[in-house]
Amino acid sequence: EVQLVESGGGLVQPGGSLRLCCEASGFAFSRYWMSWVRQAPGKGLEWVANIDQRGSGTDYVHFVGGRFTVSRDNAKNSLFLQMSSLRVEDTAVYYCARATSTASVDYWGQGTLVTVSS
Amino acid sequence: DVVMTQSPLSLPVTLGQPASISCRSNQSLARSDGNTYLNWFQQRPGQSPRRLIYEVSNRDSGVPDRFSGSGSGTDFTLKISRVETEDVGIYYCMQSTHWPWTFGQGTKVEIK
C-alpha cells in the first residue's frame, strides 16, 4: 500500500524557516517524480514544486521566488521541502504527492499544517 | 500560467440525480505528444485530495463508474451519473500540460 506521511509543520514567525519531510513507503520511491502542493485554510489547491527521480531536476512555481528548495533522499525514501523567508501568505497545509509518468499525481499524503504568524 | 475556470462553484444535487461540472482552460491542453493532461480530483471534507480521472477520461482504480470525464482542447466536463452521499465534497480540475500545473477554483457538491 502506497503511503506518504508528511511531518515538520508548525508555527513559525514571518521571515523564519521550516523544513518539511515526507516519508514514502509501499512503492519504489526512487522511480518516481514527487511533488509538493499546498492548500491555504478554506482555499483551493496550489502547486509548489516537483522533483525528478534523482533529485537533479526541479520545478517551482513563481511565488516560491527562490525561498523554497525541494530535495530528496532516495536511500531513506524521503522527500523534503526547505522553506525560508516565510510569509503570512505561506500559511497552508502542505501535501506531498507521488507524480506519475502521465504528468499527474496519483497518491497524496495527509498533509502538514504550516502557520506563519507573529 | 494557465488559468482553469470551473463552473458552477456550488452544486446542490438531489440524491440519485446526475451532476455535471465544467472546466475551461485559457490555453489548449493538448500536447504535442498527442495527450491531453487534464485531471479531476475529489476532496471530501477533512480529507486529502483523491484523483478520480487522468488524461481527460481515464478513471482511477477503485473509482465508481458513475464518474466520467470528457472534453478536449480547452473545454472539459466531469459527470456523476447518480449522486450518492459519499460524493459530497469539492471537485478540482487540474492541468498538467503546461508548467506550472494549475488547478481550478473547485466546485462544492452538496446534497439538497
Side-chain angles (χ1 to χ4, degrees):
Chain A
E1 179 192 5
V2 172
Q3 285 200 327
L4 299 168
V5 179
E6 301 93 336
S7 61
L11 175 63
V12 61
Q13 291 189 338
S17 299
L18 214 53
R19 189 190 196 210
L20 306 184
C21 177
C22 171
E23 294 187 14
S25 61
F27 67 101
F29 179 73
S30 63
R31 293 173 60 181
Y32 287 84
W33 282 67
M34 296 294 294
S35 302
W36 287 100
V37 181
R38 72 182 187 182
Q39 186 170 35
K43 302 297 185 182
L45 299 164
E46 186 174 46
W47 220 270
V48 176
N50 285 352
I51 186 168
D52 71 7
Q53 294 94 327
R54 296 175 63 184
S56 54
T58 56
D59 294 307
Y60 299 94
V61 293
H62 56 83
F63 66 74
V64 165
R67 301 180 299 126
F68 295 1
T69 301
V70 59
S71 62
R72 64 192 296 162
D73 184 339
N74 286 342
K76 295 183 178 179
N77 290 342
S78 294
L79 174 72
F80 306 100
L81 185 67
Q82 178 68 48
M83 304 186 294
S84 60
S85 302
L86 282 162
R87 305 166 180 165
V88 170
E89 54 266 34
D90 294 319
T91 295
V93 173
Y94 285 74
Y95 296 100
C96 73
R98 187 180 81 167
T100 69
S101 58
T102 55
S104 182
V105 288
D106 56 358
Y107 286 94
W108 298 64
Q110 86 290 347
T112 187
L113 176 62
V114 172
T115 303
V116 184
S117 174
S118 54
Chain B
D1 297 2
V2 175
V3 177
M4 305 296 289
T5 303
Q6 290 182 227
S7 63
L9 298 185
S10 177
L11 184 56
V13 187
T14 302
L15 282 174
Q17 292 301 302
S20 180
I21 301 170
S22 170
C23 175
R24 289 182 172 155
S25 58
N26 66 348
Q27 297 179 37
S28 176
L29 301 185
R31 220 159 77 169
S32 55
D33 61 7
N35 294 316
T36 299
Y37 297 104
L38 186 284
N39 310 268
W40 289 97
F41 294 88
Q42 174 196 61
Q43 189 173 31
R44 291 171 172 153
Q47 294 187 14
S48 303
R50 166 200 183 195
R51 194 179 68 178
L52 301 175
I53 303 281
Y54 63 95
E55 290 184 56
V56 180
S57 59
N58 295 287
R59 220 172 14 250
D60 270 277
S61 175
V63 174
D65 60 8
R66 63 179 181 275
F67 290 93
S68 64
S70 62
S72 63
T74 61
D75 205 343
F76 304 92
T77 303
L78 176 71
K79 291 183 178 177
I80 310 174
S81 58
R82 295 173 305 280
V83 172
E84 298 189 6
T85 305
E86 66 179 19
D87 300 336
V88 166
I90 301 176
Y91 291 77
Y92 296 92
C93 61
M94 184 208 95
Q95 68 81 23
S96 47
T97 294
H98 306 282
W99 183 257
W101 297 354
T102 48
F103 292 93
Q105 320 97 301
T107 294
K108 187 173 185 178
V109 172
E110 58 184 9
I111 305 300
K112 279 183 184 175

